[in-house]
Amino acid sequence: MFYFLSKTIDFLLMPFSISLILIIYGLGTKKLKRKRIAIISSFFILYLISNSFLINKAFNWWEYKPVNISEVKKTYDVGIVLTGGMISLSQTADHPGLGIQADRFLQAYLLYKNNKIRKILITGASQKSLRDAGKGEAQQAAALLVLWGVNPGDILLELNAKNTRENALFTSKILKAQFTGKSYVLITSSFHMRRATGCFKKVGISADVFPADFYGSDENTSFKEAVVPDPKIVGFSQLLFREWVGIIIYKIMGYC
Protein backbone atom coordinates (compact mmCIF):
# COMPACT_ATOMS: atom_id res chain seq x y z
CA MET A 1 0.00 0.00 0.00
CA PHE A 2 2.81 2.40 0.90
CA TYR A 3 4.50 1.70 -2.43
CA PHE A 4 1.30 2.45 -4.39
CA LEU A 5 0.47 5.61 -2.43
CA SER A 6 4.00 6.95 -2.62
CA LYS A 7 4.11 6.48 -6.40
CA THR A 8 0.69 8.14 -6.78
CA ILE A 9 1.66 11.13 -4.66
CA ASP A 10 4.99 11.26 -6.46
CA PHE A 11 3.23 11.53 -9.83
CA LEU A 12 0.77 14.19 -8.69
CA LEU A 13 3.46 16.42 -7.16
CA MET A 14 5.87 16.35 -10.09
CA PRO A 15 6.21 19.76 -11.80
CA PHE A 16 5.56 18.26 -15.23
CA SER A 17 2.38 16.57 -13.96
CA ILE A 18 1.24 19.81 -12.32
CA SER A 19 1.86 21.64 -15.59
CA LEU A 20 -0.28 19.13 -17.52
CA ILE A 21 -3.06 19.37 -14.93
CA LEU A 22 -3.02 23.16 -15.22
CA ILE A 23 -3.25 22.96 -19.01
CA ILE A 24 -6.20 20.56 -18.81
CA TYR A 25 -7.88 22.80 -16.25
CA GLY A 26 -7.22 25.88 -18.36
CA LEU A 27 -8.73 24.25 -21.43
CA GLY A 28 -11.73 23.04 -19.46
CA THR A 29 -12.69 26.09 -17.42
CA LYS A 30 -15.06 28.63 -18.93
CA LYS A 31 -13.81 31.53 -16.82
CA LEU A 32 -11.36 33.55 -18.87
CA LYS A 33 -9.29 34.82 -15.91
CA ARG A 34 -8.78 31.32 -14.48
CA LYS A 35 -7.99 29.97 -17.95
CA ARG A 36 -5.32 32.65 -18.43
CA ILE A 37 -3.76 32.06 -14.99
CA ALA A 38 -3.69 28.28 -15.47
CA ILE A 39 -2.08 28.42 -18.92
CA ILE A 40 0.50 31.05 -17.93
CA SER A 41 1.37 29.13 -14.75
CA SER A 42 1.77 25.93 -16.73
CA PHE A 43 4.20 27.48 -19.19
CA PHE A 44 6.10 29.17 -16.36
CA ILE A 45 6.61 25.79 -14.65
CA LEU A 46 7.70 24.21 -17.93
CA TYR A 47 10.22 27.00 -18.46
CA LEU A 48 11.69 26.60 -14.97
CA ILE A 49 12.11 22.82 -15.20
CA SER A 50 13.70 23.04 -18.67
CA ASN A 51 16.24 25.72 -17.71
CA SER A 52 19.75 24.23 -17.67
CA PHE A 53 21.20 26.92 -15.43
CA LEU A 54 18.55 26.61 -12.69
CA ILE A 55 18.46 22.81 -12.62
CA ASN A 56 22.25 22.58 -12.61
CA LYS A 57 22.41 24.96 -9.64
CA ALA A 58 19.76 22.91 -7.85
CA PHE A 59 21.77 19.72 -8.34
CA ASN A 60 24.98 21.40 -7.18
CA TRP A 61 23.21 22.55 -4.02
CA TRP A 62 21.59 19.17 -3.27
CA GLU A 63 24.20 16.62 -4.27
CA TYR A 64 26.97 15.33 -2.04
CA LYS A 65 30.42 16.41 -3.16
CA PRO A 66 32.67 13.91 -4.96
CA VAL A 67 35.19 11.92 -2.90
CA ASN A 68 38.56 11.06 -4.39
CA ILE A 69 39.65 7.44 -3.95
CA SER A 70 42.98 8.78 -2.71
CA GLU A 71 41.10 10.50 0.13
CA VAL A 72 39.72 7.18 1.40
CA LYS A 73 42.23 6.32 4.16
CA LYS A 74 40.77 3.00 5.33
CA THR A 75 39.63 -0.32 3.94
CA TYR A 76 35.92 -0.94 4.53
CA ASP A 77 34.64 -4.42 5.16
CA VAL A 78 31.54 -3.92 3.00
CA GLY A 79 30.66 -1.53 0.19
CA ILE A 80 26.86 -1.29 -0.14
CA VAL A 81 25.56 -0.58 -3.65
CA LEU A 82 21.90 0.37 -4.22
CA THR A 83 20.45 -0.72 -7.56
CA GLY A 84 18.27 1.38 -9.83
CA GLY A 85 19.14 2.14 -13.45
CA MET A 86 22.53 0.40 -13.32
CA ILE A 87 21.76 -2.19 -16.00
CA SER A 88 19.83 -1.98 -19.25
CA LEU A 89 17.76 -5.10 -18.68
CA SER A 90 16.82 -7.59 -21.36
CA GLN A 91 15.58 -11.15 -21.17
CA THR A 92 16.66 -11.96 -24.71
CA ALA A 93 20.16 -10.47 -24.92
CA ASP A 94 23.08 -12.75 -24.09
CA HIS A 95 24.97 -9.88 -22.43
CA PRO A 96 24.04 -6.95 -20.15
CA GLY A 97 24.06 -3.30 -21.14
CA LEU A 98 25.00 -0.44 -18.87
CA GLY A 99 22.14 1.73 -17.61
CA ILE A 100 22.19 5.47 -17.01
CA GLN A 101 23.21 4.99 -13.36
CA ALA A 102 25.84 2.30 -13.90
CA ASP A 103 28.38 4.59 -12.25
CA ARG A 104 27.18 3.21 -8.90
CA PHE A 105 28.74 -0.20 -9.32
CA LEU A 106 31.64 1.14 -11.37
CA GLN A 107 32.69 3.18 -8.34
CA ALA A 108 32.31 0.08 -6.16
CA TYR A 109 34.57 -1.78 -8.58
CA LEU A 110 37.20 0.97 -8.44
CA LEU A 111 37.12 1.00 -4.65
CA TYR A 112 37.50 -2.79 -4.61
CA LYS A 113 40.42 -2.78 -7.04
CA ASN A 114 42.12 -0.07 -4.98
CA ASN A 115 41.72 -2.18 -1.82
CA LYS A 116 39.28 0.27 -0.23
CA ILE A 117 36.50 -2.31 0.23
CA ARG A 118 36.68 -6.07 0.86
CA LYS A 119 33.12 -7.09 -0.04
CA ILE A 120 30.51 -5.64 -2.38
CA LEU A 121 26.87 -6.01 -1.30
CA ILE A 122 24.37 -5.15 -4.06
CA THR A 123 20.79 -4.58 -2.92
CA GLY A 124 17.61 -4.21 -4.96
CA ALA A 125 14.79 -6.21 -6.53
CA SER A 126 13.99 -6.77 -10.21
CA GLN A 127 11.02 -8.42 -11.87
CA LYS A 128 10.61 -12.02 -10.74
CA SER A 129 10.96 -13.33 -14.29
CA LEU A 130 14.32 -11.57 -14.60
CA ARG A 131 15.53 -12.83 -11.22
CA ASP A 132 14.46 -16.38 -12.06
CA ALA A 133 16.42 -16.15 -15.32
CA GLY A 134 19.46 -14.82 -13.47
CA LYS A 135 19.11 -11.48 -15.27
CA GLY A 136 17.99 -9.20 -12.46
CA GLU A 137 19.79 -5.90 -12.18
CA ALA A 138 21.87 -6.91 -9.16
CA GLN A 139 22.66 -10.27 -10.73
CA GLN A 140 23.86 -8.76 -14.00
CA ALA A 141 25.90 -6.11 -12.20
CA ALA A 142 27.53 -8.88 -10.16
CA ALA A 143 28.26 -10.86 -13.33
CA LEU A 144 30.02 -7.85 -14.84
CA LEU A 145 32.06 -7.31 -11.69
CA VAL A 146 33.22 -10.93 -11.86
CA LEU A 147 34.19 -10.49 -15.52
CA TRP A 148 36.22 -7.44 -14.47
CA GLY A 149 38.15 -9.47 -11.94
CA VAL A 150 36.19 -9.28 -8.70
CA ASN A 151 36.28 -12.53 -6.70
CA PRO A 152 32.75 -14.05 -6.80
CA GLY A 153 33.10 -14.81 -3.09
CA ASP A 154 33.44 -11.09 -2.42
CA ILE A 155 30.01 -10.26 -3.88
CA LEU A 156 26.78 -10.55 -1.88
CA LEU A 157 23.29 -10.04 -3.32
CA GLU A 158 20.09 -8.88 -1.67
CA LEU A 159 17.35 -9.35 -4.27
CA ASN A 160 14.09 -8.40 -2.51
CA ALA A 161 14.23 -4.67 -1.70
CA LYS A 162 11.77 -2.63 -3.77
CA ASN A 163 12.65 0.81 -2.40
CA THR A 164 15.26 2.62 -0.32
CA ARG A 165 13.54 1.78 2.95
CA GLU A 166 13.73 -1.93 2.12
CA ASN A 167 17.31 -1.56 0.84
CA ALA A 168 18.28 -0.46 4.32
CA LEU A 169 16.01 -2.87 6.19
CA PHE A 170 16.97 -6.04 4.32
CA THR A 171 20.65 -5.13 4.02
CA SER A 172 20.87 -4.45 7.75
CA LYS A 173 19.84 -8.06 8.45
CA ILE A 174 22.70 -9.35 6.32
CA LEU A 175 25.22 -6.96 7.85
CA LYS A 176 24.17 -7.69 11.43
CA ALA A 177 24.26 -11.43 10.79
CA GLN A 178 27.53 -11.67 8.86
CA PHE A 179 29.45 -8.43 9.43
CA THR A 180 28.41 -7.16 12.82
CA GLY A 181 30.74 -4.53 14.19
CA LYS A 182 32.46 -4.11 10.83
CA SER A 183 32.89 -0.96 8.73
CA TYR A 184 30.60 -0.03 5.83
CA VAL A 185 30.55 2.49 2.99
CA LEU A 186 27.37 3.37 1.11
CA ILE A 187 27.61 3.80 -2.66
CA THR A 188 24.69 5.32 -4.53
CA SER A 189 23.81 8.29 -6.72
CA SER A 190 24.84 11.56 -5.14
CA PHE A 191 21.34 13.06 -5.42
CA HIS A 192 19.94 10.00 -3.58
CA MET A 193 22.55 9.84 -0.83
CA ARG A 194 20.67 11.92 1.76
CA ARG A 195 17.63 9.64 1.75
CA ALA A 196 19.77 6.50 1.63
CA THR A 197 21.94 7.44 4.60
CA GLY A 198 18.86 8.47 6.55
CA CYS A 199 17.21 5.10 5.94
CA PHE A 200 20.31 3.14 6.95
CA LYS A 201 20.72 5.16 10.15
CA LYS A 202 17.09 4.42 11.03
CA VAL A 203 17.78 0.68 10.97
CA GLY A 204 20.96 1.03 13.01
CA ILE A 205 23.55 0.96 10.24
CA SER A 206 26.16 3.71 10.36
CA ALA A 207 28.03 3.94 7.06
CA ASP A 208 30.42 6.37 5.46
CA VAL A 209 29.47 7.57 2.00
CA PHE A 210 31.01 7.43 -1.45
CA PRO A 211 28.75 9.35 -3.85
CA ALA A 212 28.46 8.34 -7.50
CA ASP A 213 26.48 9.31 -10.59
CA PHE A 214 26.66 13.11 -10.48
CA TYR A 215 24.31 15.40 -12.41
CA GLY A 216 25.48 18.82 -11.29
CA SER A 217 28.35 20.44 -13.18
CA ASP A 218 30.91 23.11 -12.33
CA GLU A 219 31.22 24.16 -15.95
CA ASN A 220 30.37 27.76 -16.80
CA THR A 221 26.85 28.16 -18.15
CA SER A 222 26.50 29.72 -21.58
CA PHE A 223 23.97 32.43 -22.34
CA LYS A 224 21.96 29.97 -24.40
CA GLU A 225 21.82 27.45 -21.51
CA ALA A 226 20.75 30.17 -19.09
CA VAL A 227 17.93 31.47 -21.28
CA VAL A 228 16.79 28.93 -23.89
CA PRO A 229 14.69 26.00 -22.58
CA ASP A 230 16.16 22.53 -23.16
CA PRO A 231 13.65 19.64 -23.38
CA LYS A 232 16.13 17.04 -22.14
CA ILE A 233 16.59 18.99 -18.90
CA VAL A 234 12.98 18.24 -17.97
CA GLY A 235 13.92 14.61 -17.30
CA PHE A 236 16.74 15.64 -14.98
CA SER A 237 14.51 18.09 -13.13
CA GLN A 238 11.92 15.35 -12.65
CA LEU A 239 14.64 13.14 -11.17
CA LEU A 240 15.57 15.79 -8.62
CA PHE A 241 12.00 16.79 -7.73
CA ARG A 242 11.08 13.11 -7.33
CA GLU A 243 13.91 12.75 -4.83
CA TRP A 244 12.71 15.80 -2.88
CA VAL A 245 9.17 14.45 -2.74
CA GLY A 246 10.51 11.03 -1.77
CA ILE A 247 12.57 12.28 1.13
CA ILE A 248 9.63 14.32 2.45
CA ILE A 249 7.37 11.25 2.33
CA TYR A 250 10.03 9.12 4.00
CA LYS A 251 10.49 11.65 6.79
CA ILE A 252 6.72 11.77 7.38
CA MET A 253 6.66 7.96 7.56
CA GLY A 254 9.68 7.94 9.88
CA TYR A 255 11.83 5.97 7.45
CA CYS A 256 14.72 8.41 7.37
Side-chain angles (χ1 to χ4, degrees), residues 151-188:
N151 186 335
D154 290 336
I155 302 174
L156 299 92
L157 300 181
E158 185 289 301
L159 302 177
N160 297 306
K162 298 183 179 67
N163 53 44
T164 311
R165 158 71 172 176
E166 292 186 352
N167 285 140
L169 193 62
F170 299 160
T171 298
S172 69
K173 295 178 181 179
I174 297 174
L175 296 177
K176 291 174 182 178
Q178 301 182 39
F179 302 97
T180 182
K182 302 295 185 178
S183 58
Y184 321 119
V185 60
L186 187 60
I187 306 163
T188 188

Side-chain angles (χ1 to χ4, degrees), residues 90-238:
S90 173
Q91 287 184 292
T92 57
D94 62 0
H95 62 281
L98 298 182
I100 59 173
Q101 291 168 352
D103 190 51
R104 296 182 184 188
F105 75 96
L106 171 61
Q107 297 305 317
Y109 168 76
L110 293 175
L111 287 169
Y112 178 87
K113 296 301 285 187
N114 282 275
N115 297 314
K116 301 300 182 180
I117 53 177
R118 295 188 177 94
K119 304 285 185 181
I120 301 174
L121 197 168
I122 307 175
T123 168
S126 297
Q127 295 177 12
K128 186 177 183 303
S129 59
L130 291 171
R131 294 201 309 271
D132 291 345
K135 292 190 175 183
E137 183 174 354
Q139 293 163 310
Q140 294 208 56
L144 279 174
L145 290 174
V146 172
L147 284 175
W148 296 346
V150 176
N151 186 335
D154 290 336
I155 302 174
L156 299 92
L157 300 181
E158 185 289 301
L159 302 177
N160 297 306
K162 298 183 179 67
N163 53 44
T164 311
R165 158 71 172 176
E166 292 186 352
N167 285 140
L169 193 62
F170 299 160
T171 298
S172 69
K173 295 178 181 179
I174 297 174
L175 296 177
K176 291 174 182 178
Q178 301 182 39
F179 302 97
T180 182
K182 302 295 185 178
S183 58
Y184 321 119
V185 60
L186 187 60
I187 306 163
T188 188
S189 297
S190 185
F191 75 88
H192 185 57
M193 189 63 80
R194 296 174 190 267
R195 181 156 44 141
T197 54
C199 287
F200 275 82
K201 286 179 181 177
K202 275 290 184 178
V203 296
I205 298 297
S206 178
D208 290 340
V209 300
F210 195 87
D213 184 36
F214 294 88
Y215 291 87
S217 171
D218 293 330
E219 295 181 6
N220 293 328
T221 304
S222 67
F223 176 79
K224 178 182 177 181
E225 291 173 328
V227 177
V228 179
D230 187 343
K232 72 175 183 289
I233 298 299
V234 175
F236 294 116
S237 66
Q238 291 287 101

Side-chain angles (χ1 to χ4, degrees), residues 62 191-192 195 238-247:
W62 180 256
F191 75 88
H192 185 57
R195 181 156 44 141
Q238 291 287 101
L239 187 71
L240 184 58
F241 275 94
R242 179 172 290 111
E243 184 62 23
W244 288 347
V245 171
I247 201 168

Side-chain angles (χ1 to χ4, degrees), residues 25-26 29 31-42:
Y25 174 78
T29 184
K31 295 188 176 181
L32 185 60
K33 183 177 180 180
R34 293 184 179 180
K35 182 187 295 290
R36 184 180 295 117
I37 292 174
I39 298 298
I40 291 175
S41 298
S42 175

